[in-house]
Amino acid sequence: MMLLQLHSINGLVSKYPKRSLLVHDHGRRRDTAHKRLCFKMLALPSRTQRIMESISVGGEVGGAGGAYSYSALKRLDQLWSSICSAKTVVQEPQKVVSTNPGSFSDSELAGKALDKFDVIVCGGTLGIFIATALSSKGLRVAIVEKSVLKGREQEWNISRKELLELVKVGILAEKDIEEITAAKFNPNRCGFDGKGEIWVKDILNLGVLPAKLIEIVKNRFVSLGGVIFEGCTLSTICVYEDAAVTLLAEGNVLSSSLIIDAMGNFSPIVKQIRHGRKPDGVCLVVGSCARGFSNNSTSDVIYSSSSIRQVGESVVQCFWEGVPLDNLEIQRVIYGIFPTYRDSPLPAAFNRVLQFGDASGIQSPVSFGGFGSLTRHLERLSSGIYEAISSNFLDSYNLSLLNPYMPNLSASWLFQRAMSAKQLPNVPPDFINELLYANFQSMQKLGDPVLRPFLQDVVQFGALAKTLGLVMISKPQILPSIFAQVGFPVLVDWSGHFAMLGFYTFLSTFAEPVIRPWLSAFSPQLRYQWKRRFEAWKYGAGLDYEL
């Protein structure tokens, strides 16, 4: 019984999940059933509490979605209430990072340092991947994790192509893919409330065991000389001219050349950088993983069985799967909040501190999956970070080149707005389903080079232009509703990002091959900066994705 919604702060809207619709157990598919509920499950306290307290929570881990208990759900509901609060004045977040003049070696903390590293990664659930990639390049790396570093029992959905990115950077062997894969299923369905169904193959069709995956990567990290500080909480970071110093709540002091913030959306460092600003959109996940489903051979990428409707005080568009609860054996619950911001990815705000994964906002605003975007960017980021450390290009400007503006992510905000549930007199209730089906149908007609990247959160200029053109030709009657739903200012803003998407495509395709042969004549710093620009063009245009 799962509900996934994407909320805007100005109005409640629903979105579809891209990486948590399906979960698996020991080779058998365990679907996540979607039930039409509001996020505030506390409105049904007796049933919710009874279900949740009947499930063991002994396997709780860190990271988003790692907690299972009823008390943790109540805490998350309080957090959601504070995000939705109408207060315009936001409390200034705690100052975690401070910049100090002079050298660390001359400071009073120098004699207290327990150890020195090239890189300290704060947050281990996703941080273990970048930490291992950097260790494999010969850097001395440590991880600070507030709980035990292990993966949850719920599986992650991903494609084999994305897993091979982990092999490419040297943190997995290809044989490990079979060991961590709990199930494979094909084809996958995209369905929209009676409009029609589209079936695709080999997209998010693997159920990967996070517990096994992180265990393998953790062992490799330790074998490469990596150090893990488990049960340790970040207190403050002091940035000096020659080092970044991590002070742990337990009293230990660690120094490094660079600190990587992999603590996710609710990182205290991110809160400080964004000054506590409310997110522009929020993906909400509430539901459960269960056994008892009759069909275990296929899956849903996205499936809607209803139109926009009123639920309580909110207008929602739900995407869900439903079966009678009596048929299910609930294994664990799922809940989480995944905020998204328009000004993402997040540039470095301090010298020697860099955001990574969900903390950097590199994921698409129409999905919430940090793992998929992480695999796609891991080679780029690990190589860039290694070069920045080796050449001491660790000021905020040079680090920001690793999290650059990417027009394909910014262009995705149009989809977010188009799929927002609103009560508009000139927009029919089935508009979202009609629009989605028209888009998916057009992409299917254009073939795999268009459909497959889009379903894996990769927006490309040519594919997007062809899809929009075909929708306008085949469904011209839907255009007035699009303008009414999205609004003129949003369309103008999107047009700028769409133009930049085309410009980045041109730069990566034609300008980079002309400039790259001249790199050897540049100074080391200019060479580093131009390489980062090449990457920004390529990834910002979605050209990193190859069939």
Side-chain angles (χ1 to χ4, degrees):
M1 54 169 191
M2 176 180 177
L3 172 71
L4 175 86
Q5 297 180 331
L6 179 63
H7 294 246
S8 73
I9 298 306
N10 296 320
L12 184 63
V13 298
S14 287
K15 275 295 194 179
Y16 64 92
K18 302 243 351 188
R19 303 195 185 274
S20 289
L21 278 173
L22 305 167
V23 288
H24 310 266
D25 182 57
H26 303 299
R28 294 185 59 201
R29 174 178 159 191
R30 295 184 300 171
D31 295 71
T32 303
H34 298 246
K35 187 178 177 71
R36 289 176 249 182
L37 298 170
C38 289
F39 175 73
K40 291 192 175 182
M41 292 176 69
L42 301 182
L44 300 172
S46 58
R47 189 177 207 180
T48 300
Q49 187 168 357
R50 188 167 61 249
I51 290 174
M52 296 186 68
E53 291 183 349
S54 69
I55 300 171
S56 171
V57 296
E60 288 193 322
V61 297
Y68 315 151
S69 68
Y70 182 64
S71 60
L73 175 62
K74 290 194 291 184
R75 291 194 299 272
L76 193 68
D77 186 69
Q78 292 172 351
L79 175 60
W80 172 239
S81 296
S82 68
I83 292 176
C84 292
S85 142
K87 293 179 181 178
T88 56
V89 179
V90 180
Q91 183 178 0
E92 188 69 18
Q94 176 188 359
K95 186 177 181 180
V96 179
V97 183
S98 61
T99 301
N100 300 275
S103 170
F104 168 61
S105 58
D106 296 331
S107 71
E108 60 180 18
L109 289 176
K112 301 177 182 178
L114 178 67
D115 208 340
K116 178 176 176 58
F117 300 90
D118 295 310
V119 181
I120 293 176
V121 178
C122 298
T125 304
L126 293 183
I128 185 66
F129 297 100
I130 188 67
T132 306
L134 294 173
S135 292
S136 68
K137 294 180 180 294
L139 297 179
R140 188 160 191 258
V141 184
I143 294 175
V144 175
E145 168 57 43
K146 67 178 180 180
S147 59
V148 177
L149 180 49
K150 66 176 184 178
R152 71 189 77 156
E153 294 304 319
Q154 171 209 344
E155 287 76 15
W156 288 336
N157 279 77
I158 199 166
S159 304
R160 181 179 177 85
K161 179 182 185 301
E162 294 172 303
L163 283 180
L164 289 173
E165 298 293 333
L166 302 181
V167 177
K168 187 186 298 185
V169 297
I171 64 176
L172 276 187
E174 194 160 353
K175 64 179 179 61
D176 295 329
I177 293 179
E178 295 302 318
E179 187 176 351
I180 65 175
T181 300
K184 305 174 183 178
F185 39 91
N186 263 320
N188 299 336
R189 178 177 62 167
C190 307
F192 309 99
D193 190 27
K195 305 295 180 185
E197 295 181 351
I198 294 169
W199 292 83
V200 296
K201 294 191 67 175
D202 301 324
I203 294 175
L204 304 178
N205 68 308
L206 299 184
V208 170
L209 298 165
K212 189 63 179 177
L213 171 61
I214 291 180
E215 177 189 355
I216 291 173
V217 178
K218 180 179 178 180
N219 289 337
R220 175 152 177 76
F221 175 67
V222 173
S223 72
L224 291 168
V227 179
I228 303 175
F229 294 90
E230 293 182 321
C232 295
T233 305
L234 171 68
S235 175
T236 56
I237 293 172
C238 300
V239 179
Y240 293 88
E241 293 176 0
D242 58 346
V245 181
T246 304
L247 285 76
L248 304 181
E250 294 72 23
N252 290 330
V253 177
L254 308 172
S255 73
S256 62
S257 298
L258 176 69
I259 293 174
I260 295 179
D261 174 11
M263 292 183 286
N265 292 302
F266 293 102
S267 157
I269 303 175
V270 171
K271 288 181 181 179
Q272 179 180 345
I273 295 172
R274 294 196 184 277
H275 302 288
R277 180 168 66 86
K278 290 184 178 182
D280 299 304
V282 179
C283 281
L284 301 182
V285 181
V286 175
S288 65
C289 300
R291 292 192 181 118
F293 297 89
S294 59
N295 181 10
N296 287 316
S297 61
T298 64
S299 68
D300 288 341
V301 176
I302 172 174
Y303 184 76
S304 167
S305 59
S306 66
S307 298
I308 294 174
R309 67 186 188 280
Q310 187 84 24
V311 178
E313 298 180 357
S314 302
V315 181
V316 300
Q317 168 71 57
C318 295
F319 296 91
W320 59 289
E321 291 177 271
V323 296
L325 287 179
D326 293 341
N327 294 350
L328 302 181
E329 178 189 350
I330 297 176
Q331 303 296 301
R332 59 150 292 191
V333 293
I334 301 173
Y335 47 87
I337 296 177
F338 302 86
T340 55
Y341 293 85
R342 287 183 177 275
D343 56 341
S344 294
L346 187 62
F350 309 100
N351 296 342
R352 299 184 179 274
V353 180
L354 177 69
Q355 274 60 51
F356 172 80
D358 288 352
S360 72
I362 201 75
Q363 75 273 23
S364 164
V366 294
S367 78
F368 58 89
F371 183 52
S373 61
L374 176 150
T375 60
R376 198 156 53 243
H377 292 273
L378 192 57
E379 182 180 25
R380 173 183 71 84
L381 287 170
S382 59
S383 297
I385 291 170
Y386 176 77
E387 190 172 344
I389 292 174
S390 301
S391 302
N392 198 31
F393 301 146
L394 299 173
D395 58 281
S396 60
Y397 173 77
N398 280 303
L399 289 178
S400 291
L401 296 177
L402 294 164
N403 285 336
Y405 163 70
M406 293 189 178
N408 59 345
L409 291 182
S410 297
S412 297
W413 276 97
L414 180 70
F415 310 137
Q416 190 266 0
R417 289 299 298 268
M419 294 172 67
S420 300
K422 302 176 183 178
Q423 281 188 325
L424 299 173
N426 51 346
V427 177
D430 65 347
F431 163 74
I432 293 176
N433 285 307
E434 182 71 28
L435 177 62
L436 285 173
Y437 182 62
N439 274 284
F440 276 70
Q441 191 177 42
S442 295
M443 286 187 287
Q444 186 183 45
K445 290 177 180 177
L446 294 169
D448 264 5
V450 173
L451 181 61
R452 190 176 296 273
F454 181 83
L455 288 177
Q456 299 185 78
D457 271 350
V458 180
V459 177
Q460 298 175 335
F461 179 77
L464 182 57
K466 290 176 183 177
T467 301
L468 294 178
L470 190 54
V471 169
M472 290 178 186
I473 293 171
S474 61
K475 298 280 186 179
Q477 68 274 16
I478 205 173
L479 296 181
S481 294
I482 293 177
F483 280 89
Q485 172 85 358
V486 173
F488 185 71
V490 173
L491 284 172
V492 171
D493 179 66
W494 174 82
S495 297
H497 296 305
F498 180 69
M500 290 302 294
L501 181 61
F503 186 49
Y504 272 42
T505 302
F506 170 81
L507 290 173
S508 184
T509 304
F510 300 105
E512 179 187 341
V514 174
I515 301 171
R516 185 172 285 278
W518 296 91
L519 284 184
S520 57
F522 293 176
S523 68
Q525 186 163 358
L526 274 179
R527 187 159 56 246
Y528 166 86
Q529 293 173 352
W530 273 103
K531 286 168 72 173
R532 305 291 81 79
R533 290 187 185 104
F534 294 159
E535 292 166 352
W537 297 344
K538 181 178 180 180
Y539 283 77
L543 298 179
D544 59 294
Y545 186 93
E546 298 176 359
L547 287 174

